Every structure is written in C-alpha cells, then in structure tokens.
Amino acid sequence: MSLADLLSRRLLFTVGKGGVGRTTVTVALALEAVRRGKRVLVIEFEGARGLERALDAHRQARDPAPGLDRLTYLAVDGKRALEEYLEMIIPVRRLLRTIFDSAIYQYFVAAAPGLKELMAIGKIWYEANRADAEGDPRAANGNADDGPHPDLVIVDAPATGHSLQYLRMPQAAHEAFPVGLVHREAERVLSLLRDPSKTGVVVVSIAEEMPANETLEILAGLEGIGLQHAALVVNQVHAAPCSEEELDALRREAETVEPLEAAASDAALFVEAVRRAEEESGWARINATHVARLEAATRAPVALLPYVFCEEFGPEQVREIGRVLRARFEETSASAKPRGVGRGRAS
Amino acid sequence: MRAAVSKSTREAAVVRSRGTRDLGDVLSRHRIVVCAGSGGVGKTTTAASVALWGALHGRRAIVLTIDPARRLADSLGVGPIGNTPIEVPASALAGLGVGKGGTLTAMMLDQKGSWDELVARHAPSEEVRESILANPFYRQLSQSFAGSQEYMAVEQLGELDASGRYDLIVVDTPPTQHALDFLEAPDRLLHFLDRKIVRWFVRPSMSAGWSTFQTMNRTVRFLLGKIEDATGVAALAQVSDFFSAMGQLFDGFEARVDRVTALLRDPATAFLLVAGPDEQVLGQVDYLASQMAERRMPLKGVVMNRVHAPLDIDESAPEEIASAIEPHVDRAIGAKGRGEASVAGKVARRLAENLAAWQGRARGDALRIEVFRQGLPRGVPLVQVPDLPRDVHDLEGLRSLHAFLFGAVD
C-alpha cells in the first residue's frame, strides 16, 4: 500500500498510547495530505491540547509547510456534540438551553459515560461524511473548491487509558440501546468505521517492551470491534552506527586507550564516541526484538521511523518524519512490508 | 580539540548530588510514597526501585504496582492476575545486603476487576451484588468511568496502611493524561455518587421514565421525554436500576472515600512526580505544584527519567570529531586505506555523527530540565536517571538505579 492509498480514505484514526509520537504521526500524515492538494480536517478530543499546540508551531514556523491553508482543526467535545445533536432533532432551542443548564441533565450526561463518546464519534462521522462525494452534489459537479468540506478527516485518538474507548463506543451503544435514535446513529457510524475503503486506523507504537505489549493489545482490541488497522507505524527506532564486530573491536581499543591516554583529548573523545555507539547499538538491539514481535502480529504494512536526535523536536522534524513516512510506504507499494531505519524521534 | 569538564556539567553534578541526598530524606520522613506521572516514563520501575531502597534500609516495604513488564513482575514474584501481596523471598534479598528487619513485598493492582471488587466488597447481599454486576449501564460505566483505577489504587493503599504490616508503602499509579488526575479520583468519585443525586435517581418512579417528575413543568417534561427517545428509553431504566442497587451500598462507600482522601492528605504521604525530559508537563510545573498544594497534597520530589546527561567533553562539529577519532578507529578495526573512503573513515564518521547528535539532545534535555527546575517550589529535590539501553527486570537492576535516585548508597 502506498501513502496515497492510505490518504485516499475519508477517515483516519491514529491510535497509540501517550509518548509514542501519535500526534507527530497525525500531523505528518495531515501535512502529506495537504501537500497533495487535499483539504484535511484534524480532530482531537476535548481536553487534549497536543495536536492544537503542534499545529500552532507549524503555523508559526519561519518556513511553513506547503498547503497549510487547507488544514483545519477541530476539538470534539462529546457533551457539546450531544447538545448539537439534540438541537438537531428537537428544534426548540431556547428551551433546550434551560434543560442543558439544569443539574439533572448535567448529571444524566455525566452518568451515561458512553453517550458522550458516542456523540463525539457521531460528530466525527458527520464531518467525515461531508467529504463523501456520493452524498455531495457539489463534489459530483467536479468543483473541488466549492465549500469547506474536508476530503480527509484525521483523528488523533486519546492517549491514555482506554485508547479504543471511542472506537468501541458505537458498537457498545448499538448493543446497549436496542432501539431509538442512538441505536440508529450507532449503526450509521459503525458502517462507516467498518468500511476499509473509507476508514483506516493507523496504529503508532515504539519498539520497547511495555509499549509493544500495549500495541499488541490495541491490535487485538481493534479486531475485537471489527476494525482492521491499515498500517502500523513504529516510531523512534534506533540504528546501530556500526556492526557488532566493529563495535567489539572498538570497545577493546577503547579499553586499552582509556588508562594510558586518558589525558589526551582525542583519546577521551574516542572513548566517549564508543560509549555512545554502544548505547545506540543497545537500543537498536532492543528495538529490533520488539519490531519483530510487532511485525509478527500484523499483516498490514509496518513503517519504521527513525529516532530523531535533536535539541528540540519541532516542525522541521515533523516534516522530516513525513518525508520518511512517504518513502517507507512508497518502498512497499510494489513489494512487501515497508522497512528502514535512520535516526529520528517523534514525541 | 580539548576534552574538558564544562562548567555547566559541573554545576549539574553539584545540583544532582544535593537532590539525591534529599530524596533519601523524603523517603525517611514518609510512610507512603505515591509515584504520579503521565506514564511511559518508567514509573513502575521507579516505584519498585524506591521500595527496594526502603527494604535495604530496614523498612518493611511494599510496592503496589499497576502494570509491570513481565520479567520485572516475575522477579518481584507477582503474577499478571490477582492482587494478593507477595513477599520477595529473604534469600533473594540477602544477596543485596538488606538491612536488619527489611522486607520487600510486591502487590499487583488488578485493574480489570477493580470495580467488580469494589461492588463485591460493599454489596450488602449476594443479590444486590449480582444485580449490579449484571446491569448493562454498570458494565459500560465500569469500563469507561475515568478515575476508577485511580480510586481503586487509593482504596487498596488504605487497606495496606490499615493492616499495619508495612512501614513504607510505595504506590505506582495508573498512567493518566495529567499528573493531577490521580489526586482528583476520590473527589470525582464522591461527586459522581453524590448522595442527593443518587437519591433522585433511586425513586421507584424513575424506572418508568422522566415523565413522572411532577415538580417539573410540562414543557420540560416533554423535552426530557424527547431526549429520552433520542438516547434510548432502556438506558434510563438501567441508570435508575443501577443507582437503586448502588444506593444500598452507598453508606459504607462514602465513609471510605473520606478515609482515603484523608490518607492522601496525611503528612506521612509524599508525592513524587515521575517524568521524562521531553514532556509537556515540564512546561507546567508551577501550575502542577500549586494545584497539588491547593489539594493539600504537596509535591515532595521529582524523578526525571530517560535523561541524556551532558558529557564531560566540549561540543564539536561531526567532521572535527571524525578526524580526531579516526586514528583510534583505524587501529581498532584495522581497515586498509585512510580518509573518507576507508571503512575506518566511514565508521569514524558515523560514530562522530552519533556522538554529536547525542550531545545536541543532551543540550536540549538540560535546557528543559533547567526551565522545569526554576518553576519547582524551593526545597523539592529533582533527581535524574540516564536513558540507558536496558530493561530493568531484576532486583540487581532495580538497585543499580539507586545510584541515580539516592546517590551512592549501600
């Protein structure tokens, strides 16, 4: 699968635990899509600010990425989405306000935890469906610039706790509410989510023991709710600067110079360079072990992103990640799974 | 090129040593240590290492852990399921030089069963318990209510403390979006189960729907009816049933939440923030600290994990480093020829790039940590643990962290 295939869908979810670089991958994908002329809406859930902050950084960058004007942002708030939804079906706005402000309604919303999540997903469904050409006469006329409909919606899915909670909600609601509008709403959302030509889930992980374990749980969880992941992005993969044999020889050399030439600056520099090489090789070995576990658990393309060493991870690094991501997917569109490692880090 | 200890490195070393002494002090003055933080930064390992330090200093220590890596769980003797305290065998500790009377116990918090257990513990009868566990609303709630895991961790903490069997309890908290989430869990739960509102819901008429509220005017009733239609009638009945059942176990519950909150505010409880040097939390430390103080749960220490500490050499361009180290690389791998094209030249260049990149990263970490430190309340120690490429998965590994957490010990 090429990156173009992935970005041709209506709706992408980037799913992963906090600290694996999920937001970076979200932004990198969005920038790749707008660069290709698509209008993109990126969404995060109310309360999370990481995506908004990342986009601000891109907008304020000295050399902004091409197509940024085609990128819009939305924070989805389940409670607000529920109110919007109710206003849509009960068109007595002023009175509804009174209800929304009442303690009993507040409590009802708080007490029905699935409802807010379902409404948030419903809102995403609505945004993604606006992009559907079949349902949009203007798009059918071929006038792509007419109106603000996004071509692609990318959702930065929550970082902590149950990262699949939102995705699970339509099915849960479908079962929990056997009749009524919520049931029908859930059904509509489910049919979009389960259509692999329209919806893709991009799972983001890093190749260390605990995050890889969690990613395996996420993959199993997705399967459990009938969603297939479109791609697995393994972030922050370290590369050994030299082979194991070379490292052995360098280590031996470092041991001999250390006591003799400790005062000599070049020798000290060499010793430090070898130590850092050992460390990088160590990380590379750990990463390789867990990349293998992750690869064994999926049939989807696996894109490895390099660990980026830098003073501060900023917009330029994100664009670099985007370029690497493109290359990784392009590599595989012809052959097997994408591979490859350089140096890089996304946070 | 000169390799000299830079000024900033020396200063960092001084601050570090002062900080490490203080973290030991914090532990010796508190009975309960709660490790808070957003997760993914070695919180579990830090908590286990802190508990081991207690045992080595003669404390009867227990670590209440959430989700340890399997090998760490194995070496602590706790399995993935169940939550009974298991003592690490004295023979395993003996080799580490545990002080007189010191013991180490580990206990795994069973996250999935936590709500079920809470219900089981407080239900007055088998019948009530079963009706709650089978309620569809409850099943959704127990899966998604934010704070249930946090609350259960605190409740478990209360039990361990009441048992009197431990004089150092270290709590590893569930990963949260925000470090404050853990502290807010009991209050949020109490608010959620607000007695007045629960009573509202448990009126027998509730099962029949909103329309029975006679105190409301007709328009409101009509609109609530519409909302009910929109959201599904069955849900309301389920909510009502749930609270009817919950109401029966509410009395013991409220008192319990109060006790748990008091325990978190006890002067014997210390909060440690566990973080990494590239997190958002670093920019918000003054907010975090003031919020914790406001909740009367002050921050007592910071553990900064996965730090790239500045090296004792000056920074140079990769080309300079490469040419300086090439003779040594050449001697080591004995490549033929010299310069860029030779194997030694290439390896030297990659080593140099790696070193220079590492130093850039270290510079960034140092800067972020310094900004963070300036926002930290006075007297709160900050210790740094380097980003080492290894899984800490046994007692020896946990002890090796003490040098960074507490300075030279044992």
Side-chain angles (χ1 to χ4, degrees), chain B residues 73 80 83 90 98 184 190 207 213 260-261 299 336 355 382 392-393:
Chain B
N83 48 2
V98 165
E184 287 173 350
L190 203 57
S207 297
F213 286 99
V260 151
T261 308
L299 183 62
K336 302 160 202 77
L355 177 61
L382 183 151
V392 174
H393 55 78

Side-chain angles (χ1 to χ4, degrees), chain A residues 110-129:
Chain A
L115 203 54
K116 278 178 299 188
E117 283 87 350
L118 177 70
M119 288 300 146
I121 283 282
K123 173 78 176 166
I124 290 164
W125 175 87
Y126 172 73
E127 294 296 339
N129 238 36

Side-chain angles (χ1 to χ4, degrees), chain A residues 38-70:
Chain A
K38 287 179 184 292
R39 281 183 309 265
V40 179
L41 172 66
V42 287
I43 292 180
E44 73 187 325
F45 292 98
E46 185 74 15
R49 300 289 303 280
L51 183 56
E52 192 182 18
R53 269 195 293 260
L55 290 180
D56 283 348
H58 281 273
R59 294 221 163 86
Q60 288 155 14
R62 254 173 301 167
D63 169 30
L68 259 186
D69 55 322
R70 287 188 289 273

Side-chain angles (χ1 to χ4, degrees), chain A residues 17-18 47-49 53 82 85-86 89-90 92 95-96 99-100 104-105 107-108 110-115 117 159-162 165 168-169 172-173 176-182 206 208-210 213-214 240-243 246 249-250 253 256-257 261 265-270 272-274 276-280 282-283 286 290 307-313 343 345 347, chain B residues 1-3 38-40 67-71 137 140-141 143-145 149 175-177 191-194 197-198 200-201 210 213 216 219-220 223-224 226-227 229-236 238-239 243 278 280 284 306 308 311-314 320-321 324-325 328-329 331-333 343 347 350-352 354-355 357-358 360-361 363-365 367-368 387-391:
Chain A
K17 294 280 281 189
R49 300 289 303 280
R53 269 195 293 260
L82 174 62
Y85 180 76
L86 291 173
I89 56 168
I90 309 172
V92 199
L95 286 168
L96 271 178
I99 302 282
F100 294 156
I104 183 92
Y105 173 81
Y107 193 71
F108 172 71
L115 203 54
E117 283 87 350
T160 49
H162 315 266
Q165 192 177 312
R168 190 178 286 127
M169 211 40 75
F177 305 88
V179 291
L181 286 173
V182 169
I206 54 177
E208 292 171 31
E209 182 171 359
M210 294 310 288
N213 290 351
E214 279 155 13
C242 57
S243 73
E246 286 164 346
L250 290 166
E253 172 71 12
T256 60
V257 302
E261 304 167 73
S265 61
D266 287 0
L269 198 59
F270 170 70
E272 197 58 76
V274 173
R276 295 306 133 208
E278 282 186 286
E279 233 171 65
E280 268 307 279
W283 279 119
I286 289 175
H290 298 293
Y307 181 96
V308 179
F309 266 121
C310 57
E311 186 168 342
E312 196 174 1
F313 194 86
R343 11 197 70 257
R345 178 188 181 94
S347 58
Chain B
M1 185 173 312
R2 290 184 314 111
S38 60
D67 194 13
R70 202 179 61 236
R71 280 184 296 172
F137 175 72
Q140 261 195 52
L141 175 88
Q143 273 174 33
S144 59
F145 179 69
Q149 291 166 12
T176 55
Q177 188 147 6
H191 178 75
F192 181 75
L193 295 175
D194 187 304
I197 300 177
V198 169
W200 237 78
F201 267 92
W210 296 100
F213 286 99
M216 287 181 194
T219 320
V220 171
L223 289 171
L224 280 173
K226 283 282 189 187
I227 292 174
D229 287 346
T231 53
V233 182
L236 267 186
Q238 284 165 15
V239 172
F243 281 111
D278 53 3
Q280 295 294 343
Q284 307 158 357
R306 308 198 78 157
H308 301 71
L311 305 175
D312 287 350
I313 49 171
D314 290 335
E320 280 181 68
I321 301 174
I325 65 172
H328 291 285
V329 176
R331 214 158 63 204
I333 60 181
V343 175
V347 171
R350 285 204 297 270
L351 253 56
N354 185 54
L355 177 61
W358 207 94
R361 172 66 205 228
R363 190 171 55 232
D365 280 4
L367 204 71
R368 284 183 288 271
D387 187 29
L388 295 173
R390 57 171 187 207
D391 288 329

Side-chain angles (χ1 to χ4, degrees), chain B residues 105-116:
Chain B
T105 302
M107 180 171 170
M108 177 101 163
L109 185 73
D110 179 7
Q111 293 182 75
K112 293 196 180 69
S114 57
W115 270 93
D116 291 0

Side-chain angles (χ1 to χ4, degrees), chain A residues 182-197:
Chain A
V182 169
H183 179 81
R184 290 200 294 280
E185 177 83 346
E187 205 162 62
R188 282 199 305 173
V189 173
L190 269 179
S191 69
L192 171 68
L193 291 186
R194 286 184 176 159
D195 182 349
S197 70

Side-chain angles (χ1 to χ4, degrees), chain A:
Chain A
M1 183 182 56
S2 70
L3 194 53
D5 292 338
L6 188 68
L7 298 176
S8 70
R9 303 180 197 211
R10 302 255 179 270
L11 178 58
L12 290 178
F13 288 89
T14 43
V15 175
K17 294 280 281 189
V20 300
R22 189 194 64 252
T23 299
T24 296
V25 171
T26 304
V27 175
L29 287 172
L31 290 180
E32 275 298 307
V34 295
R35 200 180 60 81
R36 290 157 198 242
K38 287 179 184 292
R39 281 183 309 265
V40 179
L41 172 66
V42 287
I43 292 180
E44 73 187 325
F45 292 98
E46 185 74 15
R49 300 289 303 280
L51 183 56
E52 192 182 18
R53 269 195 293 260
L55 290 180
D56 283 348
H58 281 273
R59 294 221 163 86
Q60 288 155 14
R62 254 173 301 167
D63 169 30
L68 259 186
D69 55 322
R70 287 188 289 273
L71 184 60
T72 48
Y73 166 86
L74 178 70
V76 164
D77 173 2
K79 201 171 151 202
R80 177 79 204 104
L82 174 62
E83 290 176 12
E84 255 176 50
Y85 180 76
L86 291 173
E87 280 172 2
M88 229 152 58
I89 56 168
I90 309 172
V92 199
R93 246 161 235 212
R94 201 172 47 79
L95 286 168
L96 271 178
R97 269 290 128 216
T98 321
I99 302 282
F100 294 156
D101 292 340
S102 71
I104 183 92
Y105 173 81
Q106 299 289 339
Y107 193 71
F108 172 71
V109 173
L115 203 54
K116 278 178 299 188
E117 283 87 350
L118 177 70
M119 288 300 146
I121 283 282
K123 173 78 176 166
I124 290 164
W125 175 87
Y126 172 73
E127 294 296 339
N129 238 36
R130 289 170 65 204
D132 198 324
E134 290 157 329
D136 185 350
R138 279 174 298 186
N141 290 337
N143 188 355
D145 291 325
D146 193 3
H149 303 228
D151 302 303
L152 170 67
V153 174
I154 308 180
V155 184
D156 193 39
T160 49
H162 315 266
S163 30
L164 299 181
Q165 192 177 312
Y166 284 87
L167 289 170
R168 190 178 286 127
M169 211 40 75
Q171 190 180 351
H174 195 251
E175 287 161 5
F177 305 88
V179 291
L181 286 173
V182 169
H183 179 81
R184 290 200 294 280
E185 177 83 346
E187 205 162 62
R188 282 199 305 173
V189 173
L190 269 179
S191 69
L192 171 68
L193 291 186
R194 286 184 176 159
D195 182 349
S197 70
K198 289 183 178 165
T199 301
V201 179
V202 177
V203 179
V204 186
S205 182
I206 54 177
E208 292 171 31
E209 182 171 359
M210 294 310 288
N213 290 351
E214 279 155 13
T215 301
L216 295 179
E217 279 170 26
I218 288 173
L219 294 178
L222 283 170
E223 204 158 295
I225 50 179
L227 295 178
Q228 297 203 325
H229 58 284
L232 176 59
V233 176
V234 184
N235 197 13
Q236 300 176 17
V237 180
H238 292 257
C242 57
S243 73
E244 291 290 324
E245 296 76 36
E246 286 164 346
L247 189 61
D248 278 343
L250 290 166
R251 200 184 286 125
R252 281 194 299 275
E253 172 71 12
E255 277 162 14
T256 60
V257 302
E258 208 160 5
L260 295 175
E261 304 167 73
S265 61
D266 287 0
L269 198 59
F270 170 70
V271 169
E272 197 58 76
V274 173
R275 271 195 209 132
R276 295 306 133 208
E278 282 186 286
E279 233 171 65
E280 268 307 279
S281 300
W283 279 119
R285 274 193 298 276
I286 289 175
N287 289 160
T289 305
H290 298 293
V291 165
R293 289 174 62 211
L294 291 167
E295 283 184 330
T298 179
R299 280 195 302 267
V302 180
L304 306 186
L305 296 181
Y307 181 96
V308 179
F309 266 121
C310 57
E311 186 168 342
E312 196 174 1
F313 194 86
E316 191 41 54
Q317 282 72 33
V318 176
R319 287 169 68 180
E320 178 57 31
I321 287 286
R323 282 189 282 274
V324 176
L325 205 53
R326 195 194 318 156
R328 297 287 178 263
F329 275 97
E330 265 24 91
E331 270 167 30
T332 59
S333 50
S335 59
K337 288 175 176 180
R339 303 254 1 194
V341 177
R343 11 197 70 257
R345 178 188 181 94
S347 58

